[in-house]
């Protein structure tokens, strides 16, 4: 099937069938924000439970479920999709491409993630969510009664397939679809970090897939991989999980690093200091990310030599990270700094993240780790890196790219209120948790006793969590009331990279003519050396576009149905689900679809020419 | 629509001399590597089938042959030797490197001996 023109369709059908990287990016953002609110609500519930000693707001079982779902949701269903949203929307624009390499797979990746996430959350209504923490250590998870952990296994399996597909798609896009002149060393840092992140996804997610598969076989089919009585080994799960889990934290933080590199350079009005060192540091962090997983297992009993090796390898990561921190500081040095909300988040990130990094080196000291292990010190550490790094990055990216993505600027005044409330709330919540940990308060427990000196700091921590909750509500209000700021949205920050060369909202073909890239910070170069517009690398011609497809939803739906069949061991349903999936794949394979063309006249109309 | 080629249409005309020469050479490379791979596969079978070669030598030897087979498969049949596959090479080998280190570490850490 090949159409000369796009077929007219309703708005809903358009969004359900879209293969446009921008619409998929927006859907990732919306779904990510929904799960972010959900995970935040779970966090607030936990903090209310820990507000006073021996408080009975949540039952202990409910607390375990809320704790598990908070971690799982925030990592897999909030942080990653929000970052994927930015990657999807921004990366093709930054490299001057019309779309990602595989638009259909891009759509499939999104729907797999969404169905996996919804499947995971269905567990709340079917007799209890997973309750073995986001790490799901065996034998706790393999022996957990009920179906909660089954939902964890299959929900993550489905959404993990989507993530893997997305990662491969970005790799192919960045290697093959760069505009003429955009060499690897002219790519913006966000594209570079997306590239390295996608490599980490490609190498790390298979370990999770295998771990989850073994756990599924143990729980549902009576396997014995983790059953010590039958000759299994429980430590294998921890290794498999952390071989995935440690690169995963770099999958989260590297895109945020990329965003900060763009934002700091833009608002300091300076070229990024040490571009090639930044690229190199990103690659080194990605590489070392695979060499350090066992630092999560210092107290398992690997022996002093293994502990020492992993401790040293972990500390080595501080070197490239330090290179990055100093490069950001030197980018700011002597710059004409503008304190927009996006930049405020970037500036607040530097000290906050560095604090998380310092406690990271403390935790990497394997001898001292025996003291810190499983206390609130660890909780404080990883929230400092994840909120102070990833979440600040997501918020900075939202305020920075929102005009490009949605065609209106976010209100700066409300944004600053949001920023300060969130920043203060964040430090209030987690700074005291360092000391709670050092005083011996264990993590993951649903309550604590009176008279141990833990009361005041737990109350302070909860107050901070409330402030973050209020800040998030202000963010949502900001998103709604800012809709009138539709002026000056094409290039509001005097941007440096290619995405700011497109009009807002971005037309579906991105660039009427593929741009010619002549320098790093391509648009900035044209602003200073040229006429402020990108040079075209091709004559104006009809543009070939892919057709939308509803099949990704059916492929994802089929896997979800099959997952229900597996969870409840009703294998008729499993077979039906797999038939839906493979049937949809079969239709995709035999149906010819050559896409359609946008005629030149329409593109000229889009550019304001007649 | 008329100005655009249908991507699924059959190709028109004949290939250039240079392309033809290249295709011929490529076909020869494929046949030679195919014969060579048949040869090392039968060597592996013979190694195990005869009683002359002790298994202490035979097992590492056929594993070595298997390794050679995998690399040849990737380079000759899956075209990793061709130009423009730099990233593919980099990714495959870094993936193998990461996997090898991981497996070696797990063998040390989960094995009977703790170091």
């Amino acid at each position: 099937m090949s159409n000369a023109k796009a077929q007219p369709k309703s708005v809903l059908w358009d969004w359900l069938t879209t293969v446009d990287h921008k619409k998929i990016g927006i859907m990732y953002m919306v779904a990510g924000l929904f799960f972010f609110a959900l995970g935040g609500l779970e966090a607030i519930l936990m903090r209310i439970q820990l507000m006073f000693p021996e408080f009975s707001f949540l039952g202990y079982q409910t607390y375990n479920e809320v704790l598990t779902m908070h971690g799982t949701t925030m990592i897999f269903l909030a942080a990653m999709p929000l970052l994927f949203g930015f990657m999807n929307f921004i990366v093709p624009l930054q490299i001057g491409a019309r779309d990602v390499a595989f638009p259909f797979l891009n759509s499939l990746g999104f729907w797999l993630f969404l169905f996996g996430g919804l499947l995971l959350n269905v567990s709340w209504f079917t007799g209890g969510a997973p309750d073995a923490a986001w790490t799901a250590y065996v034998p706790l998870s393999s022996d957990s009664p009920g179906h909660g952990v089954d939902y964890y296994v299959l929900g993550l399996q489905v959404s993990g397939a989507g993530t893997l597909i997305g990662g491969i798609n970005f790799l192919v896009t960045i290697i093959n679809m760069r505009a003429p002149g955009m060499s690897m060393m002219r790519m913006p840092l966000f594209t570079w970090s997306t590239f390295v992140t996608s490599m980490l996804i490609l190498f790390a997610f298979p370990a999770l897939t295998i771990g989850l598969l073994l756990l599924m076989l143990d729980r549902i089919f009576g396997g014995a991989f983790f059953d010590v009585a039958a000759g299994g080994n429980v430590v294998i799960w921890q290794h498999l999980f952390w071989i995935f889990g440690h690169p995963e934290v770099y999958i989260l933080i590297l895109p945020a690093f990329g965003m900060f590199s763009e934002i700091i350079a833009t608002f300091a009005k300076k070229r990024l200091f040490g571009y090639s060192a930044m690229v190199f540091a990103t690659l080194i962090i990605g590489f070392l990310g695979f060499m350090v997983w066992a630092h999560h297992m210092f107290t398992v009993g690997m022996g002093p030599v293994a502990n020492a090796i992993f401790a040293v390898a972990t500390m080595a990561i501080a070197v490239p990270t330090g290179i990055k921190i100093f490069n950001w500081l030197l980018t700011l040095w002597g710059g004409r700094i503008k304190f927009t909300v996006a930049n405020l988040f970037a500036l607040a990130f530097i000290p906050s993240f560095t604090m998380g990094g310092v406690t990271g080196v403390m935790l990497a000291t394997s001898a001292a780790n025996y003291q810190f292990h499983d206390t609130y010190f660890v909780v404080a550490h990883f929230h400092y890196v994840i909120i102070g790094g990833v979440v600040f990055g997501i918020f900075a990216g939202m305020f920075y790219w929102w005009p490009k993505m949605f065609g209106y600027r976010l209100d700066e005044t409300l944004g600053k209120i949001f920023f300060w409330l969130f920043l203060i709330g964040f430090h209030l919540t987690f700074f005291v948790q360092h000391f709670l940990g050092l005083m011996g308060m264990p993590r993951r427990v649903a309550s604590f006793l009176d008279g141990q000196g833990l009361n005041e700091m737990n109350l302070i921590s909860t107050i901070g969590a409330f402030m973050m909750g209020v800040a998030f509500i202000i963010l949502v209000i900001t998103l709604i009331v800012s809709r009138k700021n539709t002026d000056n949205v094409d290039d509001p920050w005097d941007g440096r990279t290619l995405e700011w060369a497109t009009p807002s909202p971005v037309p579906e073909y991105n660039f009427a003519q593929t741009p010619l890239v002549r320098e790093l910070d391509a648009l900035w170069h044209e602003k200073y050396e040229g006429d402020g517009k990108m040079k075209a690398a091709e004559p104006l011609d009809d543009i070939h576009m892919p057709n939308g497809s509803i099949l990704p939803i059916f492929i994802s739906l089929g896997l979800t149905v099959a997952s229900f069949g597996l969870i409840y061991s009703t294998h008729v349903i499993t077979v039906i689900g797999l038939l839906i999936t493979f049937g949809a794949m079969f239709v995709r394979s035999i149906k010819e679809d050559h896409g359609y063309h946008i005629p030149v006249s329409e593109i000229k109309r889009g550019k304001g020419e007649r | 629509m008329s100005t655009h080629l249908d991507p699924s249409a059959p190709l028109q005309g004949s290939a250039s001399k240079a392309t033809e020469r290249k295709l011929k050479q490529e076909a020869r490379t494929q046949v030679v590597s195919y014969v060579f791979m048949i040869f090392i596969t039968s060597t592996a079978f013979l190694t195990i089938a005869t009683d002359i070669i002790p298994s202490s030598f035979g097992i590492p030897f056929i594993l070595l042959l298997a390794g050679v087979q995998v690399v040849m498969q990737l380079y000759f049949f899956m075209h990793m030797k061709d130009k423009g596959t730099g990233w593919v090479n980099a990714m495959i080998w870094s993936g193998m490197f990461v996997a090898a280190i991981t497996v070696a570490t797990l063998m040390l850490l989960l094995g009977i001996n703790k170091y």
Side-chain angles (χ1 to χ4, degrees), chain A residues 125-433:
Chain A
F125 307 102
T126 56
D131 54 0
W134 89 282
T135 52
Y137 274 11
V138 290
L140 181 64
S141 59
S142 50
D143 293 345
S144 164
H147 290 297
V149 176
D150 298 331
Y151 277 97
Y152 170 93
V153 168
L154 285 149
L156 290 192
Q157 199 72 286
V158 172
S159 80
T163 309
L164 195 52
I165 287 172
I168 293 169
N169 207 346
F170 288 128
L171 283 175
V172 181
T173 306
I174 293 171
I175 291 175
N176 288 333
M177 311 253 303
R178 283 169 286 132
M182 171 78 73
S183 63
M184 289 305 275
M185 290 310 276
R186 282 183 190 168
M187 288 196 318
L189 242 274
F190 181 60
T191 304
W192 252 116
S193 56
T194 301
F195 184 64
V196 178
T197 300
S198 305
M199 278 199 234
L200 296 188
I201 289 174
L202 179 63
F203 294 149
F205 266 72
L208 176 72
T209 306
I210 292 301
L212 291 173
L213 178 73
L214 298 186
L215 186 54
M216 181 184 87
L217 291 172
D218 266 20
R219 279 186 63 91
I220 298 170
F221 296 101
F225 293 103
F226 305 125
D227 183 357
V228 179
N233 187 336
V234 286
V235 182
I236 289 176
W237 167 267
Q238 297 191 23
H239 279 293
L240 282 174
F241 187 85
W242 288 116
I243 287 169
F244 146 77
H246 197 77
E248 166 71 19
V249 302
Y250 294 105
I251 291 169
L252 296 178
I253 196 65
L254 287 179
F257 282 177
M259 290 179 192
F260 290 128
S261 304
E262 309 269 313
I263 289 165
I264 288 175
T266 304
F267 291 112
K269 278 276 185 298
K270 274 178 71 187
R271 187 182 164 132
L272 185 71
F273 188 91
Y275 171 85
S276 44
M278 286 296 243
V279 171
F280 195 59
T282 310
L283 283 163
I284 294 279
I285 292 174
F287 178 76
L288 286 178
F290 282 99
M291 305 293 150
V292 298
W293 77 88
H295 70 208
H296 297 268
M297 304 165 59
F298 279 151
T299 56
V300 163
M302 297 183 299
V305 174
N307 277 8
I309 291 170
F310 280 101
V312 172
T314 306
M315 290 177 195
I317 296 186
V319 177
T321 317
I323 291 174
K324 281 181 158 291
I325 297 277
F326 283 112
N327 278 337
W328 288 315
L329 291 176
L330 288 166
T331 308
L332 291 165
W333 187 276
R336 198 185 298 159
I337 302 171
K338 272 206 267 178
F339 292 94
T340 58
V341 179
N343 202 28
L344 282 175
F345 271 110
L347 296 175
F349 147 79
I350 296 175
S352 304
F353 184 82
T354 307
M355 285 171 72
V358 169
T359 51
V361 176
M362 291 171 74
L363 284 162
T365 316
S366 55
N369 187 278
Y370 278 80
Q371 182 68 28
F372 304 135
H373 185 79
D374 249 344
T375 69
Y376 261 80
F377 191 82
V378 181
V379 178
H381 157 71
F382 69 70
H383 281 94
Y384 258 86
V385 285
I386 291 185
I387 297 184
V390 184
V391 176
F392 279 19
I394 287 166
F395 288 148
M398 276 173 76
F399 275 84
Y400 181 63
W401 278 309
W402 202 268
K404 187 58 52 193
M405 297 176 80
F406 293 92
Y408 63 94
R409 284 177 297 112
L410 293 180
D411 191 89
E412 286 285 307
T413 317
L414 272 172
K416 277 174 189 161
I417 297 170
F418 158 63
F419 164 74
W420 285 110
L421 258 180
F422 193 86
L423 181 75
I424 295 167
F426 157 62
H427 281 282
L428 216 51
T429 311
F430 295 107
F431 189 69
V432 291
Q433 291 188 359

Side-chain angles (χ1 to χ4, degrees), chain A residues 171 175 184 195 199 202-203 233 236 239 243 287 290 293 305-306 310 542 592 594 597, chain B residues 1 3-4 6-8 87 91-92 94-95 97-98 101-102 105-106 109-110 114-115:
Chain A
L171 283 175
I175 291 175
M184 289 305 275
F195 184 64
M199 278 199 234
L202 179 63
F203 294 149
N233 187 336
I236 289 176
H239 279 293
I243 287 169
F287 178 76
F290 282 99
W293 77 88
V305 174
F310 280 101
D542 294 1
E592 281 202 49
H594 299 310
H597 286 88
Chain B
M1 198 58 234
T3 55
H4 300 287
D6 182 358
S8 62
W87 277 109
M91 301 280 292
I92 294 262
S94 51
F97 180 71
V98 167
I101 279 195
T102 311
T105 313
L106 286 182
L109 291 182
L110 295 168
K114 291 271 167 61
Y115 293 93

Side-chain angles (χ1 to χ4, degrees), chain B residues 18-63:
Chain B
T19 313
E20 247 170 24
R21 215 177 303 131
K22 221 172 168 184
L23 285 173
K24 213 167 162 189
Q25 204 184 359
E26 180 66 34
R28 226 182 60 182
T29 318
Q30 296 268 333
V31 170
V32 168
S33 45
Y34 183 65
V35 170
F36 182 70
M37 284 170 81
I38 298 265
F39 169 70
I40 54 177
T41 308
S42 27
T43 312
F45 273 102
L46 283 175
T47 310
I48 296 306
T50 85
D51 297 334
I52 307 164
I53 297 164
S55 60
S56 60
F57 173 78
I59 291 171
F61 179 63
I62 64 164
L63 284 175

